[in-house]
RNA sequence: GCACCUGUAGCUCAACUGGAUAGAGCGCCAGACUACGAAUCUGGAGGUUAGGGGUUCGACUCCCUUCAGGUGCGCCA
């Protein structure tokens, strides 16, 4: 699969991006060269190791040998002997325990990697092979129009954005699609109230507040009187029938809603490529009914059109309803139409649905249906994945709400985050002008909210705690941003710039324990990226960045950068520059903004 | 009722889908500023991975079972 081996030993200046992958390839080559039994099935399984065992470890030898009644240690020795000489020059190789192969990079190899990976473009070039020639739709955020975004919308937006950025960095063509809820029965009541109770001033001031007020007014009026209910229903029928006035109102509601959403997205750095909401698929569901009925997947049941899966323990009983008894479409029909559109129009390799885990049943059923349908109609079957996430809980371990039981609006949540960050920054950086403290607070506050969400496994619920989130201690955005600010400060203090060839060219060999520990952490960025992208779990990247910042702080405390010796100063500034590069690149991939002082 | 998810240090969470002695932060204890930002760093104590059984060279991870909590289940999305 890979070409020639180009490991960064001293004489070769080309250093491959992912060293674990290179070692993996080298072991595979060694296996066939050494005539290992079933060499074609051998999977070396090289991964980063605990530091006390080296930099990388190959776990695969043990299992391969055991399964074939070979002696694991003898097998390992045979493979190690067959590795190219260049590799033995670049790292110390040890066989340990029952049959692990451990690799410890030598200082020169570490330095060669650091020299080669000096810019974000070079990192991207290294990472871009992973998803080359793939097109992925990332379906995230997806709020309903005419309503404000609230905490329930936070995770999808934040996690979805990070995943989109990670995939793009890994070489994929990414289509960010905001699958807006812009079509549904709520528009009857809303239009009814809009025609009677609209407050134009309030609409100009804060349109979503006004739409919410109107919807509630319409809802209450309909509850109170059946006559209003009938009128509201009639408004809905007119809308769906293409009535010009109602359609204009509906369009205005959607336009204004999208503009309001964008104000929130701007604070998170989110920009969608398309926003194809449910209404976009209105005229595309007829084909779904025809095709699924035609191939026998969908059947009539009580007047509705449904899909059963006889082989499935649950879905043999519990159907996927694709057309309601009254003939209306629902989310299953539009979701199927969406899958078809994404496959045909975007030629998507697959689609990722960044949606609350409580909808997992729906997606399992939907994907099963789509895959059968595509297979039966001779279409290539797209890869569909529900990228699920847990609930944000309050301190009481119940879903997070305001004291009065309302959903917390995102704009209020972000305002509080910035306010708390401002207090924190003001308490520490008294000499900064207020405008700068405000700007810093915006980055720290919003970044803290994003990072708190991203830094833990998305599948589990988490407790929303301001004090932990905005804190400077532990695995938080502020800790990472502080490390970045401190590195910038070093360069300012020494009147130097990152990637200055005159400085870095003079760098002498890495030597102290802290220098080596930091360098060994830096070269493992590709593995963190790999894991995060492979599992679509950004928290692996967060954990790595946090550990990197920790190694940097330890290095910073142990070894002074601003020394007179040009060789020592050069190599330490090089370490600072690469740490800065990877911290900034990593945080940007997560969707955070960074700063130069705080 | 059926199905899925979760249970790891006092607290909040990791553990790269089966790898080596289960790791961090907070809190607690003891240390480090005449040094580039101490918003930091160094060290220590703290565990029968909810309980029990099984699979194998090896289990927090896979299988069975008990317990505790959560979520979903035909016309909302």
């Amino acid at each position: 699969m890979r070409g020639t081996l180009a490991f960064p030993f001293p004489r070769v200046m080309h250093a491959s991006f992912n060293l674990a992958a290179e070692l993996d390839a080298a072991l595979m080559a060694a296996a066939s060269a050494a005539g290992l039994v079933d060499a074609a099935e051998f999977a070396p399984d090289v991964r980063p190791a605990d530091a006390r065992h080296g930099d990388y470890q190959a776990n695969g030898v043990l299992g391969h040998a055991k399964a074939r009644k070979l002696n694991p240690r003898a097998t390992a020795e045979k493979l190690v002997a067959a590795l190219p000489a260049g590799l033995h020059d670049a790292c110390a190789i040890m066989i340990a325990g029952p049959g692990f192969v451990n690799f410890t990079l030598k200082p020169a190899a570490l330095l060669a990697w650091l020299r080669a990976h000096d810019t974000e473009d070079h990192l991207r070039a290294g990472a871009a092979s992973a998803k080359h020639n793939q097109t992925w739709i990332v379906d995230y955020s997806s709020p309903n129009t005419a309503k404000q975004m609230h905490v329930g919308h936070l995770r999808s937006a934040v996690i979805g954005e990070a995943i989109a950025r990670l995939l793009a960095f890994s070489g994929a063509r990414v289509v960010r699609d905001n699958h807006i809820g812009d079509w549904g029965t709520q528009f009857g009541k809303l239009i009814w109230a809009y025609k009677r109770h609209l407050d134009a001033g309030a609409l100009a001031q804060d349109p979503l507040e006004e739409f919410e007020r109107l919807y509630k007014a319409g809802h209450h009026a309909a509850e109170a009187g059946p006559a209003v209910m009938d009128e509201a229903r009639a408004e809905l029928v007119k809308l769906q029938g293409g009535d010009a006035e109602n359609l204009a109102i509906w369009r205005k509601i959607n336009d204004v809603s999208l503009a309001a959403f964008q104000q929130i997205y701007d604070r998170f750095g989110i920009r969608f490529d398309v926003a194809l909401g449910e209404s976009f698929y209105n005229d595309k569901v007829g084909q779904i009914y025809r095709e699924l009925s035609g191939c026998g997947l969908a059947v009539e049941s009580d007047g509705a059109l449904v899909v059963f899966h006889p082989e499935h323990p649950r879905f043999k009983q519990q159907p996927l309803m694709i057309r309601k008894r009254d003939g209306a479409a629902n989310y299953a029909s539009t979701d199927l139409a969406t899958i078809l559109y994404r496959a045909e129009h975007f030629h998507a390799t697959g689609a990722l649905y960044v949606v609350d885990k409580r909808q997992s049943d729906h997606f399992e059923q939907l994907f099963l249906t789509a895959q059968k349908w595509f297979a039966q109609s001779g279409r290539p079957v797209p890869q569909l994945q529900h990228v699920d996430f847990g609930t944000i809980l309050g301190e009481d371990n119940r879903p997070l709400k305001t004291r009065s039981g309302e959903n917390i609006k995102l704009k209020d949540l972000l305002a509080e985050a910035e306010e708390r960050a401002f207090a924190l920054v003001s308490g520490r950086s008294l000499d900064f002008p207020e405008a700068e403290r405000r700007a810093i607070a915006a980055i720290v506050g919003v970044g803290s909210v994003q990072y708190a969400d991203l830094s833990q496994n998305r599948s589990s619920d988490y407790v929303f705690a301001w004090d932990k989130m905005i804190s400077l201690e532990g695995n938080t955005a502020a800790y990472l941003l502080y490390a970045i600010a401190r590195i910038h400060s070093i360069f300012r203090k020494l009147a130097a710039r990152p990637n200055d060839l005159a400085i870095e060219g003079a760098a002498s060999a890495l030597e102290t324990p802290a220098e080596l520990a930091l360098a060994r952490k830096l070269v493992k960025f590709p593995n963190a990226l790999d894991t995060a992208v492979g599992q679509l779990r950004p928290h692996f990247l967060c954990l790595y960045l946090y550990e990197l910042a920790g190694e940097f702080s330890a290095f910073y405390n142990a070894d002074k950068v601003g020394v007179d010796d040009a060789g020592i100063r050069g190599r330490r500034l090089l370490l600072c520059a690469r740490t800065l590069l990877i911290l900034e690149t990593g945080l940007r991939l997560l969707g955070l903004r960074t700063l130069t002082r705080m």
Side-chain angles (χ1 to χ4, degrees):
Chain A
M1 190 170 123
R2 286 188 183 75
T4 53
L5 188 69
F7 212 78
F9 61 94
R11 290 175 197 289
V12 176
M13 288 314 290
H14 169 75
S16 69
F17 181 60
N18 188 331
L19 299 176
E22 282 306 308
L23 289 170
D24 209 278
L27 279 171
M28 296 239 275
S32 56
L36 178 70
V37 181
D38 297 332
E41 291 164 37
F42 175 53
D45 189 19
V46 175
R47 60 177 72 177
D50 184 300
R52 57 181 181 263
H53 296 126
D55 287 307
Y56 305 97
Q57 61 182 53
N59 294 336
V61 180
L62 188 52
H64 188 88
K66 274 284 178 188
R68 289 162 185 79
K69 309 275 190 227
L70 303 171
N71 180 315
R73 287 191 67 108
T75 305
E77 277 165 28
K78 212 163 106 181
L79 292 179
V80 169
L83 288 170
L87 227 151
H88 286 276
D89 291 340
C91 49
I93 305 173
M94 304 269 290
I95 296 164
F100 297 108
V101 183
N102 294 338
F103 301 87
T104 306
L105 294 167
K106 292 179 182 171
L110 291 167
L111 193 59
W113 191 94
L114 294 176
R115 285 195 189 283
H117 297 93
D118 56 346
T119 62
E120 188 165 328
D121 283 343
H122 286 156
L123 294 176
R124 185 183 296 107
S129 61
K131 298 282 175 184
H132 187 61
N133 280 338
Q134 299 186 18
T135 297
W136 285 93
I137 313 292
V138 184
D139 178 326
Y140 65 113
S141 188
S142 310
N144 292 328
T145 56
K147 285 187 188 166
Q148 306 207 47
M149 293 181 75
H150 57 79
V151 272
H153 299 109
L154 178 66
R155 299 205 76 182
S156 178
V158 169
I159 295 168
E161 178 63 25
I163 284 175
R165 290 181 184 212
L166 285 167
L167 287 172
F169 194 77
S170 303
R173 175 181 166 236
V174 173
V175 179
R176 298 141 189 255
D177 186 5
N178 199 359
H179 194 74
I180 303 268
D182 61 358
W183 197 251
T185 47
Q186 77 271 22
F187 284 100
K189 290 169 185 170
L190 184 52
I191 291 174
W192 180 91
Y194 187 97
K195 287 181 175 176
R196 289 161 182 80
H197 304 296
L198 179 68
D199 177 339
L203 185 70
Q205 187 94 43
D206 190 333
L208 289 191
E209 291 273 10
E210 177 62 4
F211 288 146
E212 279 186 337
R213 188 189 69 80
L214 287 172
Y215 175 77
K216 283 178 193 160
H219 184 70
H220 287 140
E223 294 276 288
V228 175
M229 184 69 93
D230 289 341
E231 287 173 13
R233 211 171 276 137
E235 298 289 6
L236 183 65
V237 170
K238 278 168 72 181
L239 173 67
Q240 293 178 341
D243 173 80
E245 185 189 6
N246 282 13
L247 217 47
I249 295 172
W250 172 80
R251 269 198 203 99
K252 183 178 174 82
I253 291 169
N254 287 326
D255 289 349
V256 162
S257 296
L258 277 175
F261 296 154
Q262 191 57 50
Q263 290 180 1
I264 299 283
Y265 294 144
D266 284 345
R267 297 169 79 173
F268 287 126
I270 295 174
R271 194 157 290 280
F272 288 96
D273 298 306
V274 288
L276 302 176
E278 287 163 359
S279 65
F280 179 78
Y281 298 97
N282 262 342
D283 61 355
K284 298 176 180 61
V285 291
Q287 182 183 2
I288 306 302
Y289 305 145
R290 284 194 302 278
E291 288 208 20
L292 268 69
S293 300
C295 68
L297 269 173
V299 294
E300 294 264 347
S301 167
D302 290 341
L305 196 59
V306 299
V307 178
F308 289 98
H309 295 285
E311 79 287 2
H312 194 281
R314 227 168 28 261
F315 304 148
K316 63 182 174 190
Q317 300 277 356
Q318 178 189 320
L320 179 73
M321 177 174 305
I322 62 171
R323 190 180 61 205
K324 300 196 279 189
R325 194 162 41 191
D326 62 8
N330 66 355
Y331 63 105
S333 15
T334 52
D335 279 350
L336 286 165
T338 304
I339 292 171
L340 181 61
Y341 184 80
R342 287 170 175 173
E344 292 191 331
H345 186 266
F346 295 114
H347 306 287
T349 309
L352 304 172
Y353 295 75
V354 187
V355 180
D356 190 291
K357 70 179 176 188
R358 282 173 296 195
Q359 292 188 38
S360 61
D361 260 14
H362 166 66
F363 284 112
E364 190 185 349
Q365 207 170 12
L366 177 74
F367 296 163
L368 194 56
T369 304
Q371 276 153 358
K372 284 185 186 174
W373 166 39
F374 272 61
Q376 287 187 25
S377 55
R379 298 180 170 101
V381 179
Q383 298 174 43
L384 303 169
Q385 187 180 345
H386 177 202
V387 179
D388 68 354
F389 55 82
T391 308
I392 301 180
L393 306 174
E395 308 275 6
D396 58 355
N397 274 334
R398 303 294 310 161
L400 186 64
K401 302 270 178 181
T402 62
R403 277 186 299 280
S404 55
E406 305 268 295
N407 284 323
I408 297 169
K409 295 167 188 164
L410 274 189
K411 65 174 182 186
D412 295 339
L413 184 125
L414 291 179
E416 180 162 0
E418 290 187 12
E419 216 36 63
R420 285 173 179 266
F422 182 71
L424 186 76
V425 170
S426 297
R428 304 285 182 176
S429 310
L430 291 172
D431 54 330
F432 289 13
E434 176 167 351
E436 183 177 0
R437 280 182 280 135
R438 286 281 170 204
I440 292 168
I443 292 174
V444 174
V446 176
S448 295
V449 171
Q450 291 170 296
Y451 193 83
D453 207 283
L454 293 167
S455 61
Q456 54 195 283
N457 193 331
R458 59 175 164 75
S459 294
S460 42
D461 299 345
Y462 77 93
V463 175
F464 192 93
W466 282 119
D467 290 341
K468 287 201 173 69
M469 193 179 295
I470 309 278
S471 168
L472 302 138
E473 288 162 332
N475 189 4
T476 62
Y479 179 83
L480 296 180
L481 291 170
Y482 174 65
I484 286 173
R486 213 158 48 163
I487 298 173
H488 278 290
S489 173
I490 293 169
F491 281 103
R492 281 194 299 268
K493 199 78 168 188
L494 301 182
R497 297 170 64 87
N499 298 13
D500 183 324
L501 286 178
I503 293 173
E504 295 186 355
S508 49
L510 302 173
E511 195 178 301
T512 70
E515 288 169 352
L516 289 168
L518 178 55
R520 294 172 69 190
K521 197 73 199 175
L522 285 166
V523 304
K524 292 182 187 89
F525 172 66
N527 306 103
L529 199 60
D530 240 25
T531 310
V533 172
Q535 301 190 36
L536 301 175
R537 294 188 191 276
H539 79 278
F540 287 110
L541 181 56
C542 294
L543 182 66
Y544 168 80
L545 294 176
Y546 173 58
E547 288 172 350
L548 175 60
E551 292 292 358
F552 175 78
S553 293
F555 157 77
Y556 177 86
N557 267 55
D559 295 333
K560 184 165 181 170
V561 178
V563 293
D564 291 335
D565 184 289
I568 298 175
R569 184 183 170 112
R571 76 192 193 222
R572 291 186 181 164
L573 277 170
L574 188 144
L575 285 169
C576 287
R578 298 306 180 272
T579 304
L580 183 62
L581 170 67
I582 290 182
L583 286 177
E584 288 183 334
T585 301
L587 285 180
R588 266 200 293 278
L589 287 176
L590 295 169
L592 275 75
R593 287 173 290 163
T594 59
L595 33 66
T596 56
R597 64 175 203 162
M598 67 186 274

